[in-house]
Amino acid sequence: TKAENETCKERHEGKTPSRYFYDLGLFDCPTTAAHCVWLEEGDFDLLKEKGVTVGTCPISNLKLASGVANLPEMLKKGIPVALGTDSVASNNSVNFIEEMKVLAVLHKERYHDPAFLTPEEVVKAATLMGAKAQGREDTGSVKVGNKADLIVMDISGVHMKPVHNLLNNLVYSASGSDVVLTLCDGKVLYDKGEYKTIDIEKVLFEVESSRTRILNELKA
């Protein structure tokens, strides 16, 4: 937030959070910096120099009114940008398909450029760049030798028609409910509404129990 940025400068002789972490040597380790909505002019060069990936979380930033990342400057500088959701505390649905659309449309309006961020760039931020940020060269794209980390989507719905560019439909028309299969390293985790590794009824029961307990504690 802006307040965190300004407080850091007050405490550390005018250093922004990026400069402070840079001077501590934190960026000498592989780093993903979340949000980065209040970067100042010199901060972009620091992140670029150290190969820091920015994990941008547009829906979280909008819900908390914390700011909008300057993606045009980041991409112009060659800073890697990966897409994230943040947590359910600030992005209730953590709907990653929805996150892609918001990433695309938010920055078009914010920087008054309807051509900014192509569907290809959005999908790359949502897939390959996240893998690279984790130092993983065996996932994030579909190619021989990579892990089978995949989703399968039903594109037969009327909201996905017509198709003249499937990536365009994926970013601007698709919904999280279109995902019908999830694979992680070849293992099926989700298939047409069934969670293969999670007892979903138990999870829902525990969620409701926790909600009831927390509300009762707050009333006490």
Side-chain angles (χ1 to χ4, degrees):
T1 66
K2 184 176 183 179
E4 290 170 327
N5 192 67
E6 295 305 312
T7 300
C8 180
K9 291 194 293 183
E10 292 172 6
R11 290 180 177 177
H12 301 291
E13 300 176 341
K15 294 181 180 180
T16 63
S18 295
R19 169 57 72 176
Y20 181 61
F21 289 137
Y22 178 96
D23 289 347
L24 289 176
L26 178 66
F27 294 160
D28 294 330
C29 302
T31 304
T32 298
H35 307 299
C36 295
V37 294
W38 289 101
L39 295 182
E40 299 187 10
E41 185 174 351
D43 294 336
F44 297 94
D45 291 327
L46 299 180
L47 301 187
K48 167 61 177 175
E49 177 190 337
K50 295 296 185 179
V52 174
T53 296
V54 170
T56 186
C57 305
I59 293 178
S60 170
N61 299 155
L62 288 172
K63 183 181 180 184
L64 299 180
S66 56
V68 177
N70 188 344
L71 258 63
E73 185 67 15
M74 292 176 189
L75 296 179
K76 183 174 75 174
K77 294 282 188 180
I79 297 170
V81 176
L83 181 62
T85 60
D86 212 3
S87 75
V88 294
S90 61
N91 182 353
N92 304 53
S93 66
V94 289
N95 184 331
F96 203 65
I97 305 299
E98 179 182 64
E99 200 82 39
M100 289 196 294
K101 182 175 182 177
V102 173
L103 175 71
V105 299
L106 169 64
H107 293 87
K108 294 180 190 302
E109 194 287 326
R110 176 67 176 81
Y111 297 102
H112 312 294
D113 180 2
F116 181 67
L117 283 184
T118 65
E120 290 81 1
E121 290 173 317
V122 172
V123 172
K124 183 178 179 181
T127 55
L128 184 61
M129 300 312 294
K132 287 184 175 295
Q134 297 174 5
R136 301 178 64 191
E137 300 295 334
D138 60 356
T139 188
S141 62
V142 179
K143 67 179 182 180
V144 175
N146 271 15
K147 293 182 180 299
D149 296 334
L150 306 167
I151 61 170
V152 176
M153 301 186 70
D154 179 0
I155 60 172
S156 65
V158 294
H159 61 288
M160 290 291 281
K161 306 298 181 183
V163 177
H164 60 88
N165 178 326
L166 191 54
L167 287 180
N168 193 71
N169 285 57
L170 177 60
V171 172
Y172 293 109
S173 301
S175 168
S177 60
D178 294 330
V179 177
V180 294
L181 182 74
T182 302
L183 284 170
C184 182
D185 196 13
K187 181 179 181 180
V188 176
L189 302 183
Y190 173 82
D191 184 12
K192 297 176 183 175
E194 183 181 354
Y195 296 87
K196 298 294 187 177
T197 63
I198 300 173
D199 184 340
I200 199 68
E201 291 185 358
K202 180 181 178 181
V203 170
L204 294 175
F205 174 80
E206 291 178 349
V207 167
E208 181 60 22
S209 296
S210 295
R211 183 190 70 84
T212 302
R213 175 183 55 79
I214 291 169
L215 289 178
N216 287 336
E217 289 175 356
L218 291 174
K219 294 175 183 178

